[in-house]
Structures are given as C-alpha cells and as structure tokens.
Amino acid sequence: MLLAEPASTPYDLNFRLLGIPVRVAPWFWLVALLLGWNLTKVGDQQAMLLTLWVASVFLSILIHEMGHALAMRFYGMDSHIVLYQFGGLAIPDQFSSRTGFGSRRMRDDPVSQIVISAAGPAAQLGLALAIALSLKLSGFRMSFPVPYMESVISLQEGRAIDSRPLEFLLFYLMWSSVMWALLNLLPVYPLDGGQIARNVFSLYNPVAGIFFSLILSVVTGVAVAVYAFSRQDLFLAVMFALLAFSSFQVLQAYSGRGGYGP
Ligand SMILES: [Zn+2]
C-alpha cells in the first residue's frame, strides 16, 4: 500500500538538500502546530516553544526522509521528498536517469528494501543518540524520551543547560525523533515497519510473505489501537484502528484473489 503524493500548491516550500529535491506542503506546518499545541503549554512562552517545536518536527522528519532517500541513492535510485500532513514521503523517481535494469532489480530485492525502509527511523534514532551523547560528553543533563535509555546513558547527572530555548530545542528534537522512529517501526502498513515485515517474511517465503505481513499489520494495528484507547489517547487509537482496518481490507482482497490463506 502506498499513500498518494499530495498535489503541489503555490504555497509549497521547495529546496534541494544534498541534491535531493524537497517539497514542503503548507498542511505540514499546520499539523505540526496542532500536534505541538498541548505539549508547549508550559509557562507563558508558548509562541517561542511552538516555534521551536515546529522547527524540531521539520528537522526530524526531514532527516528521517533523507535517510530513506540516501539509502535509495546507495542502491542507484533517484528520489524526491515531500513533507505533508501525515509526515513525510521519500518517493523513488520512476523515470530517473539512474533507474536502469540494475536498480529495478535492486528495488525488488528484499534486503535492499529492508535497508531503505529502516534507514529513515535509523537516521532519527541516530540524531537523538548523537544529541544525547554530545550533551553527556559535555557534562549536561537532559531527560531522554525513553525512560530506560535515560539510565543507560546516565543523562540525569550533569549541569542544566542555561539557555532555555536551546534546552527545549534539543529536547523536542530528541522527543520527536524517538517517538516518530518508534511509531514508524511498528509492523503496520503503510509505516516503515510494515514494509520491513513484508520483506523479512519475503526472505523466508516469497509467495506468502505479503499475506503474513498483512495479518501482522492487522493484529498489531488493533493491539496499538486498544492500548492507545486504554491510555485515552484517542488520536492514536483512531489512527491505528483505521490502519488496521485498511490492512484487513487489503487482506480480504488478497485472499479472495485466489490466495495464500490457510
Ligand atoms: Zn519512513
């Protein structure tokens, strides 16, 4: 399953990064603002904190998509990046000069697909770890978004960062990177984890791999929805319920086509 690329608008921000075209749709900024609204309601500096939050989400998701795009380049595929209301997309260019027979074959190879899908979350986790380790090495403390990790790298000790904007910027960068990466690694379509699961299954069983990954996607999607609902996180619950349902529909269509069902 692939989400369609959103149409371009006159309000898009366009630029190139390391030779890769990037387009940011206006809805991206609006959703980032909405997501950060409650998180930044601390004290009387919400405008400043919201700005830092939006900048962090932008940087973090851009780094995620650059991970995918650079991995595709490694396998000889050109691509472009779109940031939009559901996050980001790194879209391979079908008719690029480098898309010859060789790279087309690469595109169907499960291992290169796994590397490409994992490169996005890995880039974000790498960024969060790099920030955490630089703070640690320069003697600063910071709360890490994952509680267990915080004690592993003992970030609780050290002196406080004396610049409040810098402290929040680094925290938001780490928080959005870790959360976005972990969320995307869940084996649910169309998230990166769903693509990874399909290709891992395909390594062992090329015929039934998609079928198994769809079942895993439905089960995980339902489990996350129930968990999120029990934590009263309605946004996450509805999102994963919808993803589980759409995987279920694909699964039905897939089995109906003469499938690989039990
Ligand atoms: Zn991704």
Side-chain angles (χ1 to χ4, degrees):
M1 188 164 70
L2 202 80
L3 292 175
E5 178 177 350
S8 49
T9 77
Y11 308 104
D12 288 352
L13 169 70
N14 288 286
F15 61 96
R16 290 179 90 91
L17 187 60
L18 301 177
I20 293 158
V22 180
R23 180 161 72 84
V24 189
W27 289 105
F28 175 84
W29 307 110
L30 187 73
V31 172
L33 274 174
L34 289 175
L35 285 177
W37 194 262
N38 283 326
L39 199 75
T40 52
K41 262 190 197 160
V42 282
D44 51 356
Q45 294 176 299
Q46 195 177 14
M48 187 258 291
L49 295 182
L50 255 182
T51 310
L52 293 174
W53 164 259
V54 172
S56 306
V57 169
F58 169 72
L59 272 175
S60 179
I61 296 185
L62 182 61
I63 285 171
H64 178 115
E65 300 309 327
M66 283 300 287
H68 290 312
L70 292 176
M72 283 190 237
R73 179 186 280 174
F74 176 76
Y75 288 111
M77 279 178 250
D78 284 336
S79 66
H80 61 282
I81 289 173
V82 179
L83 303 189
Y84 69 139
Q85 59 271 34
F86 297 121
L89 295 169
I91 304 160
D93 296 330
Q94 292 284 335
F95 303 107
S96 75
S97 54
R98 275 190 278 178
T99 312
F101 174 72
S103 53
R104 198 169 291 278
R105 202 176 45 190
M106 278 291 195
R107 196 178 291 186
D108 296 332
D109 163 42
V111 174
S112 58
Q113 283 304 312
I114 292 168
V115 172
I116 290 169
S117 296
Q124 274 179 313
L125 293 175
L127 170 74
L129 274 179
I131 294 174
L133 290 178
S134 343
L135 285 173
K136 173 75 194 153
L137 291 176
S138 42
F140 291 106
R141 67 166 181 263
M142 168 72 81
S143 50
F144 197 76
V146 183
Y148 177 68
M149 278 299 294
E150 197 173 72
S151 56
V152 169
I153 40 186
S154 62
L155 262 180
Q156 311 98 315
E157 299 137 33
R159 58 187 194 279
I161 298 173
D162 40 17
S163 157
R164 202 167 138 85
L166 182 63
E167 183 186 7
F168 272 94
L169 179 71
L170 294 176
F171 178 71
Y172 288 157
L173 265 176
M174 287 205 287
W175 201 86
S176 52
S177 299
V178 170
M179 292 307 156
W180 192 251
L182 294 183
L183 194 79
N184 268 281
L185 283 172
L186 289 167
V188 177
Y189 284 108
L191 305 177
D192 295 323
Q195 320 288 348
I196 293 173
R198 185 187 69 218
N199 286 291
V200 168
F201 282 127
S202 298
L203 279 176
Y204 296 100
N205 190 335
V207 179
I210 296 179
F211 182 76
F212 290 136
S213 67
L214 281 166
I215 292 177
L216 182 64
S217 179
V218 174
V219 172
T220 312
V222 169
V224 175
V226 169
Y227 173 75
F229 192 75
S230 76
R231 304 264 319 239
Q232 298 185 335
D233 192 337
L234 221 60
F235 179 76
L236 207 64
V238 169
M239 188 174 102
F240 275 88
L242 287 173
L243 293 181
F245 181 67
S246 91
S247 286
F248 179 70
Q249 283 183 312
V250 178
L251 187 63
Q252 274 189 318
Y254 197 76
S255 326
R257 260 205 320 261
Y260 308 102

